[in-house]
Structure formats: structure tokens, C-alpha cells
Amino acid sequence: MSFVTQRLDRPSSYKDHQYSGDTTQLSNDLQFTTTLYVGNLSFYTTEEQIYELFSKSGEIKRIIMGLDRNRKTPCGFCFVEYYRREDTLDCMRYINGTRLDERIIRTDLDPGFREGRQFGRGRSGGQVRDEYRMEYDAGRGGWGHIRAKQEAERAADIDENYVAISNVPEGATLEGES
């Protein structure tokens, strides 16, 4: 059977670089998995909101929220485990690309959750993708890591090169004085 559009219940081509198996083992794990990776979540999305949306596809076994490695705050992703494989595929078909907290969420099959994967992998403790974001995004916590670094460099430059005048030179007058 051929399809005019791409099937929504197929995993993406993304490969987790920390996955310990080879490509054959990965495709085998993806063939039987009941775990979904959910990305592009707002930092303010709650577990209850995720449960409410994702339970429409089937009975959820557990939800694991992604956390910033350093601050232990939400960092924009989670894992959703279902009891049945069919519910997982239904979720990919019907929920992938929908809007939650004003953000279009992405779902992808995951080979299975292992402890430690709930933490962000970026240098700052959050998501790597957020560190390269240049635009303001209130749903993901404001400015990206690079933009924050640029602002800190600018403030340091101002402190270093633009010193406020602490005394008035002789012969000069302040505004309002005559």
C-alpha cells in the first residue's frame, strides 16, 4: 500500500546518541515500545495537563517529566508510557502536532525510559536546543542561553567602559542650577 502523505505513527529518523544498542536493536525496541518522547513542551506545562491530553489515546502507565539537571525544574519534554502498543501509535497519529499551552508538541516513539534520561543534556542543565535559541520564547523560559550570555557580556562591557561621573568638573553646572 502506498501513502500520499507520511504516516504519523512511524518513528522519526532521530537516534539517541546515548542509546547503547546498535541500529538493529533500536529498530527492534521501537517495534514493540509503549513509550513516547514528547518534546517542545512549555516549561509551565504540568503533569496533569499532559495526563489530560494523552489519556484520550489510551490508559497511561506513567508520565516522567523532563527536568533541568541542575535546578530540577521542568525543561520542555517528558516521556509517556502506555500499557498497550496500539494506544502509543494512536497517540502519535492523533496528538502529534497538536497545541498544548500555546506550543505545538512533537511526539516520537522511544525505545524505553531508563533512569537518568529525565534530565536535560545541555551544558546549562536544560535542553541543548534551548541553548542555541536566539529569539524570545516565554513558553520555554524566555531568552535562549546564548542570548543571556550576550546580555551578560554587554552589561560587563558597560560596567567596564562607561563609568558614571561621580564629581562635577570645575566650571560645569548641573541641570536646573544657574
Side-chain angles (χ1 to χ4, degrees), residues 121-124 126-137 140 142-150:
R121 297 181 185 170
R123 285 178 299 212
S124 64
Q127 289 292 81
V128 175
R129 178 177 287 186
D130 288 333
E131 293 180 349
Y132 295 102
R133 185 167 33 87
M134 297 296 287
E135 74 281 353
Y136 181 79
D137 189 349
R140 297 284 284 184
W143 294 102
H145 177 70
I146 290 176
R147 179 68 177 178
K149 184 178 175 183
Q150 288 172 340

mmCIF file with all atom_site columns, all heavy atoms in Angstrom, residues 121-124 126-137 140 142-150:
data_model
loop_
_atom_site.group_PDB
_atom_site.id
_atom_site.type_symbol
_atom_site.label_atom_id
_atom_site.label_alt_id
_atom_site.label_comp_id
_atom_site.label_asym_id
_atom_site.label_entity_id
_atom_site.label_seq_id
_atom_site.pdbx_PDB_ins_code
_atom_site.Cartn_x
_atom_site.Cartn_y
_atom_site.Cartn_z
_atom_site.occupancy
_atom_site.B_iso_or_equiv
_atom_site.pdbx_formal_charge
_atom_site.auth_seq_id
_atom_site.auth_comp_id
_atom_site.auth_asym_id
_atom_site.auth_atom_id
_atom_site.pdbx_PDB_model_num
ATOM 1   N N   . ARG A 1 121 ? 20.212 17.513 28.765 1.00 0.00 ? 121 ARG A N   1
ATOM 2   C CA  . ARG A 1 121 ? 21.591 17.191 28.414 1.00 0.00 ? 121 ARG A CA  1
ATOM 3   C C   . ARG A 1 121 ? 22.433 18.398 28.044 1.00 0.00 ? 121 ARG A C   1
ATOM 4   O O   . ARG A 1 121 ? 23.589 18.259 27.684 1.00 0.00 ? 121 ARG A O   1
ATOM 5   C CB  . ARG A 1 121 ? 21.600 16.224 27.230 1.00 0.00 ? 121 ARG A CB  1
ATOM 6   C CG  . ARG A 1 121 ? 20.958 14.921 27.571 1.00 0.00 ? 121 ARG A CG  1
ATOM 7   C CD  . ARG A 1 121 ? 21.022 14.009 26.388 1.00 0.00 ? 121 ARG A CD  1
ATOM 8   N NE  . ARG A 1 121 ? 20.306 12.781 26.658 1.00 0.00 ? 121 ARG A NE  1
ATOM 9   C CZ  . ARG A 1 121 ? 20.044 11.885 25.756 1.00 0.00 ? 121 ARG A CZ  1
ATOM 10  N NH1 . ARG A 1 121 ? 20.399 12.074 24.509 1.00 0.00 ? 121 ARG A NH1 1
ATOM 11  N NH2 . ARG A 1 121 ? 19.398 10.795 26.079 1.00 0.00 ? 121 ARG A NH2 1
ATOM 12  N N   . GLY A 1 122 ? 21.859 19.568 28.098 1.00 0.00 ? 122 GLY A N   1
ATOM 13  C CA  . GLY A 1 122 ? 22.610 20.763 27.734 1.00 0.00 ? 122 GLY A CA  1
ATOM 14  C C   . GLY A 1 122 ? 23.666 21.100 28.773 1.00 0.00 ? 122 GLY A C   1
ATOM 15  O O   . GLY A 1 122 ? 23.629 20.633 29.909 1.00 0.00 ? 122 GLY A O   1
ATOM 16  N N   . ARG A 1 123 ? 24.621 21.944 28.390 1.00 0.00 ? 123 ARG A N   1
ATOM 17  C CA  . ARG A 1 123 ? 25.682 22.346 29.313 1.00 0.00 ? 123 ARG A CA  1
ATOM 18  C C   . ARG A 1 123 ? 25.127 23.075 30.522 1.00 0.00 ? 123 ARG A C   1
ATOM 19  O O   . ARG A 1 123 ? 25.672 22.983 31.617 1.00 0.00 ? 123 ARG A O   1
ATOM 20  C CB  . ARG A 1 123 ? 26.687 23.243 28.608 1.00 0.00 ? 123 ARG A CB  1
ATOM 21  C CG  . ARG A 1 123 ? 27.586 22.478 27.678 1.00 0.00 ? 123 ARG A CG  1
ATOM 22  C CD  . ARG A 1 123 ? 28.506 23.442 27.002 1.00 0.00 ? 123 ARG A CD  1
ATOM 23  N NE  . ARG A 1 123 ? 27.689 24.390 26.245 1.00 0.00 ? 123 ARG A NE  1
ATOM 24  C CZ  . ARG A 1 123 ? 28.053 24.963 25.131 1.00 0.00 ? 123 ARG A CZ  1
ATOM 25  N NH1 . ARG A 1 123 ? 29.223 24.743 24.640 1.00 0.00 ? 123 ARG A NH1 1
ATOM 26  N NH2 . ARG A 1 123 ? 27.251 25.784 24.501 1.00 0.00 ? 123 ARG A NH2 1
ATOM 27  N N   . SER A 1 124 ? 24.027 23.807 30.335 1.00 0.00 ? 124 SER A N   1
ATOM 28  C CA  . SER A 1 124 ? 23.447 24.554 31.448 1.00 0.00 ? 124 SER A CA  1
ATOM 29  C C   . SER A 1 124 ? 22.486 23.699 32.269 1.00 0.00 ? 124 SER A C   1
ATOM 30  O O   . SER A 1 124 ? 21.917 24.185 33.232 1.00 0.00 ? 124 SER A O   1
ATOM 31  C CB  . SER A 1 124 ? 22.718 25.782 30.918 1.00 0.00 ? 124 SER A CB  1
ATOM 32  O OG  . SER A 1 124 ? 21.633 25.385 30.106 1.00 0.00 ? 124 SER A OG  1
ATOM 33  N N   . GLY A 1 126 ? 19.682 22.231 31.010 1.00 0.00 ? 126 GLY A N   1
ATOM 34  C CA  . GLY A 1 126 ? 18.407 22.109 30.306 1.00 0.00 ? 126 GLY A CA  1
ATOM 35  C C   . GLY A 1 126 ? 18.584 21.402 28.975 1.00 0.00 ? 126 GLY A C   1
ATOM 36  O O   . GLY A 1 126 ? 19.479 20.580 28.798 1.00 0.00 ? 126 GLY A O   1
ATOM 37  N N   . GLN A 1 127 ? 17.738 21.748 28.024 1.00 0.00 ? 127 GLN A N   1
ATOM 38  C CA  . GLN A 1 127 ? 17.796 21.143 26.704 1.00 0.00 ? 127 GLN A CA  1
ATOM 39  C C   . GLN A 1 127 ? 18.882 21.794 25.848 1.00 0.00 ? 127 GLN A C   1
ATOM 40  O O   . GLN A 1 127 ? 19.063 23.004 25.895 1.00 0.00 ? 127 GLN A O   1
ATOM 41  C CB  . GLN A 1 127 ? 16.454 21.287 25.988 1.00 0.00 ? 127 GLN A CB  1
ATOM 42  C CG  . GLN A 1 127 ? 15.370 20.414 26.564 1.00 0.00 ? 127 GLN A CG  1
ATOM 43  C CD  . GLN A 1 127 ? 15.646 18.952 26.308 1.00 0.00 ? 127 GLN A CD  1
ATOM 44  O OE1 . GLN A 1 127 ? 16.426 18.323 27.013 1.00 0.00 ? 127 GLN A OE1 1
ATOM 45  N NE2 . GLN A 1 127 ? 15.023 18.401 25.307 1.00 0.00 ? 127 GLN A NE2 1
ATOM 46  N N   . VAL A 1 128 ? 19.547 21.002 25.056 1.00 0.00 ? 128 VAL A N   1
ATOM 47  C CA  . VAL A 1 128 ? 20.596 21.502 24.164 1.00 0.00 ? 128 VAL A CA  1
ATOM 48  C C   . VAL A 1 128 ? 20.009 22.501 23.174 1.00 0.00 ? 128 VAL A C   1
ATOM 49  O O   . VAL A 1 128 ? 20.573 23.563 22.922 1.00 0.00 ? 128 VAL A O   1
ATOM 50  C CB  . VAL A 1 128 ? 21.272 20.335 23.409 1.00 0.00 ? 128 VAL A CB  1
ATOM 51  C CG1 . VAL A 1 128 ? 22.273 20.846 22.399 1.00 0.00 ? 128 VAL A CG1 1
ATOM 52  C CG2 . VAL A 1 128 ? 21.936 19.392 24.387 1.00 0.00 ? 128 VAL A CG2 1
ATOM 53  N N   . ARG A 1 129 ? 18.848 22.192 22.633 1.00 0.00 ? 129 ARG A N   1
ATOM 54  C CA  . ARG A 1 129 ? 18.210 23.057 21.636 1.00 0.00 ? 129 ARG A CA  1
ATOM 55  C C   . ARG A 1 129 ? 17.959 24.459 22.181 1.00 0.00 ? 129 ARG A C   1
ATOM 56  O O   . ARG A 1 129 ? 18.100 25.448 21.483 1.00 0.00 ? 129 ARG A O   1
ATOM 57  C CB  . ARG A 1 129 ? 16.894 22.416 21.192 1.00 0.00 ? 129 ARG A CB  1
ATOM 58  C CG  . ARG A 1 129 ? 16.130 23.247 20.201 1.00 0.00 ? 129 ARG A CG  1
ATOM 59  C CD  . ARG A 1 129 ? 14.901 22.546 19.754 1.00 0.00 ? 129 ARG A CD  1
ATOM 60  N NE  . ARG A 1 129 ? 15.279 21.465 18.877 1.00 0.00 ? 129 ARG A NE  1
ATOM 61  C CZ  . ARG A 1 129 ? 14.426 20.710 18.216 1.00 0.00 ? 129 ARG A CZ  1
ATOM 62  N NH1 . ARG A 1 129 ? 13.153 20.925 18.329 1.00 0.00 ? 129 ARG A NH1 1
ATOM 63  N NH2 . ARG A 1 129 ? 14.832 19.752 17.445 1.00 0.00 ? 129 ARG A NH2 1
ATOM 64  N N   . ASP A 1 130 ? 17.590 24.553 23.459 1.00 0.00 ? 130 ASP A N   1
ATOM 65  C CA  . ASP A 1 130 ? 17.309 25.857 24.059 1.00 0.00 ? 130 ASP A CA  1
ATOM 66  C C   . ASP A 1 130 ? 18.554 26.715 24.171 1.00 0.00 ? 130 ASP A C   1
ATOM 67  O O   . ASP A 1 130 ? 18.473 27.938 24.203 1.00 0.00 ? 130 ASP A O   1
ATOM 68  C CB  . ASP A 1 130 ? 16.687 25.684 25.441 1.00 0.00 ? 130 ASP A CB  1
ATOM 69  C CG  . ASP A 1 130 ? 15.262 25.172 25.359 1.00 0.00 ? 130 ASP A CG  1
ATOM 70  O OD1 . ASP A 1 130 ? 14.607 25.432 24.334 1.00 0.00 ? 130 ASP A OD1 1
ATOM 71  O OD2 . ASP A 1 130 ? 14.819 24.506 26.308 1.00 0.00 ? 130 ASP A OD2 1
ATOM 72  N N   . GLU A 1 131 ? 19.723 26.098 24.253 1.00 0.00 ? 131 GLU A N   1
ATOM 73  C CA  . GLU A 1 131 ? 20.953 26.868 24.396 1.00 0.00 ? 131 GLU A CA  1
ATOM 74  C C   . GLU A 1 131 ? 21.306 27.626 23.119 1.00 0.00 ? 131 GLU A C   1
ATOM 75  O O   . GLU A 1 131 ? 22.071 28.567 23.160 1.00 0.00 ? 131 GLU A O   1
ATOM 76  C CB  . GLU A 1 131 ? 22.099 25.946 24.799 1.00 0.00 ? 131 GLU A CB  1
ATOM 77  C CG  . GLU A 1 131 ? 21.888 25.401 26.201 1.00 0.00 ? 131 GLU A CG  1
ATOM 78  C CD  . GLU A 1 131 ? 22.983 24.481 26.653 1.00 0.00 ? 131 GLU A CD  1
ATOM 79  O OE1 . GLU A 1 131 ? 23.823 24.078 25.831 1.00 0.00 ? 131 GLU A OE1 1
ATOM 80  O OE2 . GLU A 1 131 ? 22.992 24.164 27.843 1.00 0.00 ? 131 GLU A OE2 1
ATOM 81  N N   . TYR A 1 132 ? 20.777 27.223 21.989 1.00 0.00 ? 132 TYR A N   1
ATOM 82  C CA  . TYR A 1 132 ? 21.077 27.871 20.713 1.00 0.00 ? 132 TYR A CA  1
ATOM 83  C C   . TYR A 1 132 ? 19.942 28.758 20.225 1.00 0.00 ? 132 TYR A C   1
ATOM 84  O O   . TYR A 1 132 ? 20.020 29.310 19.146 1.00 0.00 ? 132 TYR A O   1
ATOM 85  C CB  . TYR A 1 132 ? 21.421 26.818 19.665 1.00 0.00 ? 132 TYR A CB  1
ATOM 86  C CG  . TYR A 1 132 ? 22.683 26.085 20.025 1.00 0.00 ? 132 TYR A CG  1
ATOM 87  C CD1 . TYR A 1 132 ? 22.633 24.822 20.578 1.00 0.00 ? 132 TYR A CD1 1
ATOM 88  C CD2 . TYR A 1 132 ? 23.914 26.692 19.864 1.00 0.00 ? 132 TYR A CD2 1
ATOM 89  C CE1 . TYR A 1 132 ? 23.794 24.163 20.950 1.00 0.00 ? 132 TYR A CE1 1
ATOM 90  C CE2 . TYR A 1 132 ? 25.078 26.060 20.230 1.00 0.00 ? 132 TYR A CE2 1
ATOM 91  C CZ  . TYR A 1 132 ? 25.013 24.789 20.769 1.00 0.00 ? 132 TYR A CZ  1
ATOM 92  O OH  . TYR A 1 132 ? 26.161 24.159 21.148 1.00 0.00 ? 132 TYR A OH  1
ATOM 93  N N   . ARG A 1 133 ? 18.890 28.884 21.025 1.00 0.00 ? 133 ARG A N   1
ATOM 94  C CA  . ARG A 1 133 ? 17.749 29.693 20.648 1.00 0.00 ? 133 ARG A CA  1
ATOM 95  C C   . ARG A 1 133 ? 18.107 31.169 20.783 1.00 0.00 ? 133 ARG A C   1
ATOM 96  O O   . ARG A 1 133 ? 18.659 31.595 21.780 1.00 0.00 ? 133 ARG A O   1
ATOM 97  C CB  . ARG A 1 133 ? 16.571 29.337 21.556 1.00 0.00 ? 133 ARG A CB  1
ATOM 98  C CG  . ARG A 1 133 ? 15.299 29.996 21.214 1.00 0.00 ? 133 ARG A CG  1
ATOM 99  C CD  . ARG A 1 133 ? 14.113 29.376 21.944 1.00 0.00 ? 133 ARG A CD  1
ATOM 100 N NE  . ARG A 1 133 ? 14.395 28.867 23.248 1.00 0.00 ? 133 ARG A NE  1
ATOM 101 C CZ  . ARG A 1 133 ? 14.365 29.587 24.366 1.00 0.00 ? 133 ARG A CZ  1
ATOM 102 N NH1 . ARG A 1 133 ? 14.094 30.862 24.315 1.00 0.00 ? 133 ARG A NH1 1
ATOM 103 N NH2 . ARG A 1 133 ? 14.622 29.038 25.529 1.00 0.00 ? 133 ARG A NH2 1
ATOM 104 N N   . MET A 1 134 ? 17.818 31.957 19.762 1.00 0.00 ? 134 MET A N   1
ATOM 105 C CA  . MET A 1 134 ? 18.143 33.379 19.775 1.00 0.00 ? 134 MET A CA  1
ATOM 106 C C   . MET A 1 134 ? 16.919 34.266 20.024 1.00 0.00 ? 134 MET A C   1
ATOM 107 O O   . MET A 1 134 ? 17.061 35.413 20.394 1.00 0.00 ? 134 MET A O   1
ATOM 108 C CB  . MET A 1 134 ? 18.783 33.789 18.442 1.00 0.00 ? 134 MET A CB  1
ATOM 109 C CG  . MET A 1 134 ? 20.097 33.094 18.162 1.00 0.00 ? 134 MET A CG  1
ATOM 110 S SD  . MET A 1 134 ? 21.373 33.507 19.332 1.00 0.00 ? 134 MET A SD  1
ATOM 111 C CE  . MET A 1 134 ? 21.745 35.159 18.831 1.00 0.00 ? 134 MET A CE  1
ATOM 112 N N   . GLU A 1 135 ? 15.725 33.746 19.817 1.00 0.00 ? 135 GLU A N   1
ATOM 113 C CA  . GLU A 1 135 ? 14.533 34.573 19.934 1.00 0.00 ? 135 GLU A CA  1
ATOM 114 C C   . GLU A 1 135 ? 13.915 34.428 21.324 1.00 0.00 ? 135 GLU A C   1
ATOM 115 O O   . GLU A 1 135 ? 14.190 33.480 22.044 1.00 0.00 ? 135 GLU A O   1
ATOM 116 C CB  . GLU A 1 135 ? 13.505 34.195 18.862 1.00 0.00 ? 135 GLU A CB  1
ATOM 117 C CG  . GLU A 1 135 ? 12.782 32.888 19.111 1.00 0.00 ? 135 GLU A CG  1
ATOM 118 C CD  . GLU A 1 135 ? 13.586 31.653 18.749 1.00 0.00 ? 135 GLU A CD  1
ATOM 119 O OE1 . GLU A 1 135 ? 14.667 31.774 18.176 1.00 0.00 ? 135 GLU A OE1 1
ATOM 120 O OE2 . GLU A 1 135 ? 13.116 30.550 19.073 1.00 0.00 ? 135 GLU A OE2 1
ATOM 121 N N   . TYR A 1 136 ? 13.088 35.373 21.684 1.00 0.00 ? 136 TYR A N   1
ATOM 122 C CA  . TYR A 1 136 ? 12.391 35.328 22.963 1.00 0.00 ? 136 TYR A CA  1
ATOM 123 C C   . TYR A 1 136 ? 11.271 34.317 22.871 1.00 0.00 ? 136 TYR A C   1
ATOM 124 O O   . TYR A 1 136 ? 10.511 34.292 21.923 1.00 0.00 ? 136 TYR A O   1
ATOM 125 C CB  . TYR A 1 136 ? 11.823 36.706 23.307 1.00 0.00 ? 136 TYR A CB  1
ATOM 126 C CG  . TYR A 1 136 ? 11.117 36.710 24.634 1.00 0.00 ? 136 TYR A CG  1
ATOM 127 C CD1 . TYR A 1 136 ? 11.846 36.770 25.806 1.00 0.00 ? 136 TYR A CD1 1
ATOM 128 C CD2 . TYR A 1 136 ? 9.740  36.630 24.711 1.00 0.00 ? 136 TYR A CD2 1
ATOM 129 C CE1 . TYR A 1 136 ? 11.214 36.769 27.035 1.00 0.00 ? 136 TYR A CE1 1
ATOM 130 C CE2 . TYR A 1 136 ? 9.099  36.623 25.922 1.00 0.00 ? 136 TYR A CE2 1
ATOM 131 C CZ  . TYR A 1 136 ? 9.844  36.693 27.090 1.00 0.00 ? 136 TYR A CZ  1
ATOM 132 O OH  . TYR A 1 136 ? 9.217  36.678 28.304 1.00 0.00 ? 136 TYR A OH  1
ATOM 133 N N   . ASP A 1 137 ? 11.161 33.454 23.857 1.00 0.00 ? 137 ASP A N   1
ATOM 134 C CA  . ASP A 1 137 ? 10.115 32.443 23.882 1.00 0.00 ? 137 ASP A CA  1
ATOM 135 C C   . ASP A 1 137 ? 9.629  32.294 25.317 1.00 0.00 ? 137 ASP A C   1
ATOM 136 O O   . ASP A 1 137 ? 10.262 31.618 26.129 1.00 0.00 ? 137 ASP A O   1
ATOM 137 C CB  . ASP A 1 137 ? 10.661 31.109 23.349 1.00 0.00 ? 137 ASP A CB  1
ATOM 138 C CG  . ASP A 1 137 ? 9.581  30.075 23.154 1.00 0.00 ? 137 ASP A CG  1
ATOM 139 O OD1 . ASP A 1 137 ? 8.445  30.298 23.614 1.00 0.00 ? 137 ASP A OD1 1
ATOM 140 O OD2 . ASP A 1 137 ? 9.871  29.035 22.543 1.00 0.00 ? 137 ASP A OD2 1
ATOM 141 N N   . ARG A 1 140 ? 9.124  28.817 26.809 1.00 0.00 ? 140 ARG A N   1
ATOM 142 C CA  . ARG A 1 140 ? 10.301 27.994 27.089 1.00 0.00 ? 140 ARG A CA  1
ATOM 143 C C   . ARG A 1 140 ? 11.254 28.683 28.060 1.00 0.00 ? 140 ARG A C   1
ATOM 144 O O   . ARG A 1 140 ? 12.417 28.336 28.144 1.00 0.00 ? 140 ARG A O   1
ATOM 145 C CB  . ARG A 1 140 ? 11.040 27.673 25.790 1.00 0.00 ? 140 ARG A CB  1
ATOM 146 C CG  . ARG A 1 140 ? 10.250 26.862 24.821 1.00 0.00 ? 140 ARG A CG  1
ATOM 147 C CD  . ARG A 1 140 ? 10.164 25.446 25.210 1.00 0.00 ? 140 ARG A CD  1
ATOM 148 N NE  . ARG A 1 140 ? 11.416 24.771 24.927 1.00 0.00 ? 140 ARG A NE  1
ATOM 149 C CZ  . ARG A 1 140 ? 11.599 23.489 25.110 1.00 0.00 ? 140 ARG A CZ  1
ATOM 150 N NH1 . ARG A 1 140 ? 10.630 22.749 25.568 1.00 0.00 ? 140 ARG A NH1 1
ATOM 151 N NH2 . ARG A 1 140 ? 12.745 22.947 24.838 1.00 0.00 ? 140 ARG A NH2 1
ATOM 152 N N   . GLY A 1 142 ? 11.875 32.206 28.315 1.00 0.00 ? 142 GLY A N   1
ATOM 153 C CA  . GLY A 1 142 ? 12.453 33.486 27.941 1.00 0.00 ? 142 GLY A CA  1
ATOM 154 C C   . GLY A 1 142 ? 13.495 33.392 26.859 1.00 0.00 ? 142 GLY A C   1
ATOM 155 O O   . GLY A 1 142 ? 13.298 32.739 25.853 1.00 0.00 ? 142 GLY A O   1
ATOM 156 N N   . TRP A 1 143 ? 14.623 34.069 27.073 1.00 0.00 ? 143 TRP A N   1
ATOM 157 C CA  . TRP A 1 143 ? 15.684 34.094 26.073 1.00 0.00 ? 143 TRP A CA  1
ATOM 158 C C   . TRP A 1 143 ? 16.486 32.798 26.117 1.00 0.00 ? 143 TRP A C   1
ATOM 159 O O   . TRP A 1 143 ? 16.614 32.170 27.146 1.00 0.00 ? 143 TRP A O   1
ATOM 160 C CB  . TRP A 1 143 ? 16.636 35.261 26.320 1.00 0.00 ? 143 TRP A CB  1
ATOM 161 C CG  . TRP A 1 143 ? 16.001 36.587 26.122 1.00 0.00 ? 143 TRP A CG  1
ATOM 162 C CD1 . TRP A 1 143 ? 15.553 37.432 27.087 1.00 0.00 ? 143 TRP A CD1 1
ATOM 163 C CD2 . TRP A 1 143 ? 15.720 37.210 24.861 1.00 0.00 ? 143 TRP A CD2 1
ATOM 164 N NE1 . TRP A 1 143 ? 15.014 38.545 26.513 1.00 0.00 ? 143 TRP A NE1 1
ATOM 165 C CE2 . TRP A 1 143 ? 15.100 38.441 25.151 1.00 0.00 ? 143 TRP A CE2 1
ATOM 166 C CE3 . TRP A 1 143 ? 15.928 36.864 23.539 1.00 0.00 ? 143 TRP A CE3 1
ATOM 167 C CZ2 . TRP A 1 143 ? 14.693 39.318 24.168 1.00 0.00 ? 143 TRP A CZ2 1
ATOM 168 C CZ3 . TRP A 1 143 ? 15.525 37.740 22.559 1.00 0.00 ? 143 TRP A CZ3 1
ATOM 169 C CH2 . TRP A 1 143 ? 14.916 38.944 22.870 1.00 0.00 ? 143 TRP A CH2 1
ATOM 170 N N   . GLY A 1 144 ? 17.070 32.460 24.998 1.00 0.00 ? 144 GLY A N   1
ATOM 171 C CA  . GLY A 1 144 ? 17.940 31.296 24.947 1.00 0.00 ? 144 GLY A CA  1
ATOM 172 C C   . GLY A 1 144 ? 19.242 31.539 25.689 1.00 0.00 ? 144 GLY A C   1
ATOM 173 O O   . GLY A 1 144 ? 19.563 32.663 26.076 1.00 0.00 ? 144 GLY A O   1
ATOM 174 N N   . HIS A 1 145 ? 19.986 30.495 25.913 1.00 0.00 ? 145 HIS A N   1
ATOM 175 C CA  . HIS A 1 145 ? 21.244 30.549 26.657 1.00 0.00 ? 145 HIS A CA  1
ATOM 176 C C   . HIS A 1 145 ? 22.232 31.526 26.019 1.00 0.00 ? 145 HIS A C   1
ATOM 177 O O   . HIS A 1 145 ? 22.874 32.308 26.707 1.00 0.00 ? 145 HIS A O   1
ATOM 178 C CB  . HIS A 1 145 ? 21.832 29.141 26.715 1.00 0.00 ? 145 HIS A CB  1
ATOM 179 C CG  . HIS A 1 145 ? 23.154 29.051 27.396 1.00 0.00 ? 145 HIS A CG  1
ATOM 180 N ND1 . HIS A 1 145 ? 23.281 29.230 28.753 1.00 0.00 ? 145 HIS A ND1 1
ATOM 181 C CD2 . HIS A 1 145 ? 24.390 28.812 26.922 1.00 0.00 ? 145 HIS A CD2 1
ATOM 182 C CE1 . HIS A 1 145 ? 24.551 29.095 29.075 1.00 0.00 ? 145 HIS A CE1 1
ATOM 183 N NE2 . HIS A 1 145 ? 25.244 28.833 27.981 1.00 0.00 ? 145 HIS A NE2 1
ATOM 184 N N   . ILE A 1 146 ? 22.346 31.512 24.716 1.00 0.00 ? 146 ILE A N   1
ATOM 185 C CA  . ILE A 1 146 ? 23.285 32.393 24.021 1.00 0.00 ? 146 ILE A CA  1
ATOM 186 C C   . ILE A 1 146 ? 22.872 33.845 24.196 1.00 0.00 ? 146 ILE A C   1
ATOM 187 O O   . ILE A 1 146 ? 23.715 34.707 24.444 1.00 0.00 ? 146 ILE A O   1
ATOM 188 C CB  . ILE A 1 146 ? 23.392 32.014 22.533 1.00 0.00 ? 146 ILE A CB  1
ATOM 189 C CG1 . ILE A 1 146 ? 24.115 30.679 22.400 1.00 0.00 ? 146 ILE A CG1 1
ATOM 190 C CG2 . ILE A 1 146 ? 24.121 33.089 21.738 1.00 0.00 ? 146 ILE A CG2 1
ATOM 191 C CD1 . ILE A 1 146 ? 24.187 30.151 20.994 1.00 0.00 ? 146 ILE A CD1 1
ATOM 192 N N   . ARG A 1 147 ? 21.592 34.130 24.091 1.00 0.00 ? 147 ARG A N   1
ATOM 193 C CA  . ARG A 1 147 ? 21.113 35.499 24.253 1.00 0.00 ? 147 ARG A CA  1
ATOM 194 C C   . ARG A 1 147 ? 21.396 35.991 25.671 1.00 0.00 ? 147 ARG A C   1
ATOM 195 O O   . ARG A 1 147 ? 21.805 37.129 25.869 1.00 0.00 ? 147 ARG A O   1
ATOM 196 C CB  . ARG A 1 147 ? 19.615 35.560 23.939 1.00 0.00 ? 147 ARG A CB  1
ATOM 197 C CG  . ARG A 1 147 ? 19.008 36.904 24.097 1.00 0.00 ? 147 ARG A CG  1
ATOM 198 C CD  . ARG A 1 147 ? 19.519 37.866 23.065 1.00 0.00 ? 147 ARG A CD  1
ATOM 199 N NE  . ARG A 1 147 ? 18.835 39.127 23.252 1.00 0.00 ? 147 ARG A NE  1
ATOM 200 C CZ  . ARG A 1 147 ? 19.065 40.194 22.561 1.00 0.00 ? 147 ARG A CZ  1
ATOM 201 N NH1 . ARG A 1 147 ? 19.952 40.166 21.604 1.00 0.00 ? 147 ARG A NH1 1
ATOM 202 N NH2 . ARG A 1 147 ? 18.411 41.285 22.794 1.00 0.00 ? 147 ARG A NH2 1
ATOM 203 N N   . ALA A 1 148 ? 21.215 35.142 26.663 1.00 0.00 ? 148 ALA A N   1
ATOM 204 C CA  . ALA A 1 148 ? 21.501 35.522 28.044 1.00 0.00 ? 148 ALA A CA  1
ATOM 205 C C   . ALA A 1 148 ? 22.991 35.808 28.218 1.00 0.00 ? 148 ALA A C   1
ATOM 206 O O   . ALA A 1 148 ? 23.382 36.753 28.920 1.00 0.00 ? 148 ALA A O   1
ATOM 207 C CB  . ALA A 1 148 ? 21.048 34.421 28.989 1.00 0.00 ? 148 ALA A CB  1
ATOM 208 N N   . LYS A 1 149 ? 23.829 35.006 27.567 1.00 0.00 ? 149 LYS A N   1
ATOM 209 C CA  . LYS A 1 149 ? 25.279 35.216 27.629 1.00 0.00 ? 149 LYS A CA  1
ATOM 210 C C   . LYS A 1 149 ? 25.651 36.548 26.977 1.00 0.00 ? 149 LYS A C   1
ATOM 211 O O   . LYS A 1 149 ? 26.483 37.298 27.500 1.00 0.00 ? 149 LYS A O   1
ATOM 212 C CB  . LYS A 1 149 ? 25.981 34.062 26.923 1.00 0.00 ? 149 LYS A CB  1
ATOM 213 C CG  . LYS A 1 149 ? 27.476 34.113 27.001 1.00 0.00 ? 149 LYS A CG  1
ATOM 214 C CD  . LYS A 1 149 ? 28.073 32.898 26.308 1.00 0.00 ? 149 LYS A CD  1
ATOM 215 C CE  . LYS A 1 149 ? 29.579 32.992 26.261 1.00 0.00 ? 149 LYS A CE  1
ATOM 216 N NZ  . LYS A 1 149 ? 30.166 31.868 25.531 1.00 0.00 ? 149 LYS A NZ  1
ATOM 217 N N   . GLN A 1 150 ? 25.022 36.866 25.837 1.00 0.00 ? 150 GLN A N   1
ATOM 218 C CA  . GLN A 1 150 ? 25.283 38.135 25.168 1.00 0.00 ? 150 GLN A CA  1
ATOM 219 C C   . GLN A 1 150 ? 24.886 39.311 26.054 1.00 0.00 ? 150 GLN A C   1
ATOM 220 O O   . GLN A 1 150 ? 25.595 40.314 26.121 1.00 0.00 ? 150 GLN A O   1
ATOM 221 C CB  . GLN A 1 150 ? 24.520 38.204 23.847 1.00 0.00 ? 150 GLN A CB  1
ATOM 222 C CG  . GLN A 1 150 ? 25.066 37.301 22.769 1.00 0.00 ? 150 GLN A CG  1
ATOM 223 C CD  . GLN A 1 150 ? 24.163 37.265 21.553 1.00 0.00 ? 150 GLN A CD  1
ATOM 224 O OE1 . GLN A 1 150 ? 22.989 37.595 21.620 1.00 0.00 ? 150 GLN A OE1 1
ATOM 225 N NE2 . GLN A 1 150 ? 24.725 36.841 20.429 1.00 0.00 ? 150 GLN A NE2 1
#
